[in-house]
Amino acid sequence: MAAVERAVTIEDLRRLALRRLPNFIGRYVEQAAGDGGGVARNIAAFRQHQLIPRGLVNVTPVDTTTELFGKKYSSLFGISAVGTGGIYRRHFDEILAEAARDANLPYILSGSATASIEAAGRIAPDHTWFQLYGAKSESLTDHMIGRAKDAGVKVLVLTVDYPIRPRSEVVERTGVALASGPTLRTFPRLFLDAVRHPLWTAEYLRGGGTPKLESWAPYAPPGSGRKQVARFYVDNWVSNQTWRDLDRVRKLWKGALVVKGLVHPGDVLRAAQAGADAVTISNHGGNKLDCMQGALDSLVNVRKAAGPNVRLFFDGGIRRGSDLIVAKALGADHCFIGRATIYGTAAGGLQGAKRAIDILQTDLAYTMAMIGCRTAADITREHVTAS
Ligand SMILES: Cc1cc2nc3c(=O)[nH]c(=O)nc-3n(C[C@H](O)[C@H](O)[C@H](O)COP(=O)(O)O)c2cc1C
């Protein structure tokens, strides 16, 4: 039996993933801004709440399905955007698209993915959502939006939480930016790390090194290799997005639009007024700022201010089925996971991705039954203690 099949929790998959990945890559997955307060706070926020079961309720069969934008999905969670995924596992994005399709979950292809929009759309036409960072050039942004539409994507996710290019202390320390891969200068330092992680290294070499950012490849100068595409992406992805950009994208995109990465109630309300069909309360998995409020606490604040009618998605720190229930009870209409499926995929490819989904889904269904909730709609504020 493969090691990922023996994993019982997401933490088990995390350990397997970190064992397989070289340290400089593992640190990048784990990367938290600064001293790691953001990631730790996201996870710890869930431990501030406990569940209050209701008794004598017929809970069989448990039904975890939810409906979003006119489509019925099998669970309360989807898979969030992860950039440069091919570095963790070759064909990372394709694997996640397939796993999401088979589990009937939404899958958000990152705007800096190593698979193209078209490839993900082919694998999972009914499940792929596309995450846009936008580009400095409006015509390039518009072209990407057009490609998403042509690829059959029905939901566009506009990530708005990086007003300037992110600063990564992990990258500053290792000297390796994943988009561009090792350089001659950094290679000697990384060599030992790679040798100590032979399974990852063999796959990396077999696949021809760091994969290309495929969605950006058509815009880079003709004949660009992966490094030139990465350079083009770094130089051209958007910063300084403003409300005007949201208005522009809203006018252009006729499908469902999700704005990802707002946490202030005033911003969320404004995005809803600007025509966002949902807002994802997210601090980018704690990668953005060390000293940022835990994502779950942001969700509580926002739901209180926004009332029941604004559709809120949530991500940050979800590692267990009970976390999904807590987030739902505190106001999330749907949840997304980032690291949980990164760990699974890095540890065991498609089998690992499916295992991560299965672990969360099994834990969710079990915990729902245990607290007397037969359907997702039965989960209410009453099932969770206040913090
Ligand atoms: C390695 C890594 C790469 C990420 N890349 C992106 C990205 O390209 N676009 C995006 O909107 N969010 C990105 N995120 C944020 C995730 O979509 C999500 O918000 C976050 O991972 C949720 O927190 P969790 O990892 O605790 O589940 C990334 C997160 C990680 C850990």
Side-chain angles (χ1 to χ4, degrees):
M1 191 198 267
V4 287
E5 289 302 325
R6 289 194 300 273
V8 177
T9 62
I10 298 298
E11 178 56 27
D12 293 342
L13 290 176
R14 173 176 173 268
R15 274 194 289 267
L16 289 172
L18 295 182
R19 207 179 295 156
R20 182 178 177 278
L21 295 170
N23 294 335
F24 74 97
I25 303 217
R27 280 212 294 272
Y28 196 83
V29 181
E30 295 292 81
Q31 90 166 306
D35 294 324
V39 175
R41 212 167 295 119
N42 279 356
I43 295 173
F46 283 102
R47 310 296 159 247
Q48 302 301 313
H49 299 273
Q50 292 84 44
L51 299 173
I52 306 172
R54 302 299 302 265
L56 299 174
V57 182
N58 179 2
V59 291
T60 49
V62 172
D63 176 2
T64 60
T65 56
T66 19
E67 198 178 309
L68 294 174
F69 309 129
K71 180 171 167 54
K72 200 168 180 185
Y73 293 101
S74 293
S75 193
L76 282 183
F77 65 97
I79 298 175
S80 196
V82 170
T84 62
I87 196 78
Y88 308 126
R89 174 68 76 163
R90 195 134 292 263
H91 305 307
F92 177 91
D93 309 288
E94 293 90 336
I95 286 172
L96 285 182
E98 186 175 339
R101 180 198 67 201
D102 291 356
N104 188 27
L105 306 177
Y107 164 61
I108 307 177
L109 178 78
S110 164
S112 52
T114 41
S116 68
I117 308 171
E118 292 76 13
R122 270 193 301 276
I123 295 168
D126 298 327
H127 297 85
T128 300
W129 300 7
F130 179 61
Q131 179 257 316
L132 182 75
Y133 274 129
K136 281 183 183 150
S137 145
E138 288 186 350
S139 62
L140 197 161
T141 305
D142 297 354
H143 192 263
M144 269 199 186
I145 292 176
R147 281 172 62 199
K149 179 172 174 289
D150 292 345
V153 169
K154 311 269 183 323
V155 184
L156 188 71
V157 180
L158 182 68
T159 294
V160 298
D161 52 10
Y162 281 145
I164 58 171
R165 199 185 293 166
R167 178 178 164 233
S168 165
E169 292 179 15
V170 173
V171 169
E172 284 174 30
R173 210 165 277 128
T174 59
V176 188
L178 293 191
S180 51
T183 61
L184 271 182
R185 185 177 64 79
T186 55
F187 192 77
R189 270 192 292 130
L190 304 176
F191 182 73
L192 200 59
D193 199 359
V195 168
R196 284 187 179 136
H197 298 90
L199 291 179
W200 177 89
T201 304
E203 190 192 66
Y204 178 82
L205 295 175
R206 255 200 328 271
T210 306
K212 240 188 217 174
L213 302 177
E214 291 292 347
S215 289
W216 283 75
Y219 309 112
S224 290
R226 57 170 183 82
K227 268 195 175 172
Q228 288 84 358
V229 174
R231 187 74 259 154
F232 180 86
Y233 162 72
V234 169
D235 290 343
N236 285 280
W237 84 310
V238 84
S239 50
N240 280 339
Q241 276 189 122
T242 66
W243 292 103
R244 187 186 151 271
D245 294 289
L246 174 56
D247 288 340
R248 238 179 49 75
V249 171
R250 179 63 287 184
K251 278 203 189 87
L252 210 61
W253 178 257
K254 305 296 176 215
L257 178 65
V258 180
V259 175
K260 174 174 183 278
L262 295 175
V263 292
H264 189 284
D267 289 345
V268 172
L269 285 168
R270 185 163 173 185
Q273 278 155 13
D277 298 293
V279 176
T280 305
I281 309 302
S282 168
N283 57 23
H284 218 100
N287 297 3
K288 179 179 168 172
L289 276 178
D290 189 350
C291 52
M292 214 171 140
Q293 183 183 41
L296 193 67
D297 297 324
S298 303
L299 172 69
V300 171
N301 271 353
V302 171
R303 180 50 86 199
K304 204 158 117 197
N309 295 328
V310 177
R311 189 185 274 125
L312 297 180
F313 296 161
F314 169 84
D315 72 33
I318 292 168
R319 305 290 185 269
R320 288 201 163 265
S322 55
D323 297 342
L324 294 162
I325 291 175
V326 169
K328 170 87 178 143
L330 296 180
D333 292 300
H334 206 73
C335 298
F336 286 84
I337 52 172
R339 289 183 179 82
T341 30
I342 301 180
Y343 296 143
T345 312
L350 181 62
Q351 203 178 9
K354 290 190 170 201
R355 185 74 198 123
I357 291 169
D358 196 41
I359 285 172
L360 281 176
Q361 179 59 12
T362 305
D363 201 22
L364 170 65
Y366 173 80
T367 313
M368 275 173 64
M370 281 295 165
I371 64 168
C373 293
R374 198 185 75 74
T375 71
D378 295 336
I379 301 169
T380 68
R381 187 69 190 77
E382 283 188 8
H383 291 96
V384 172
T385 58
S387 55

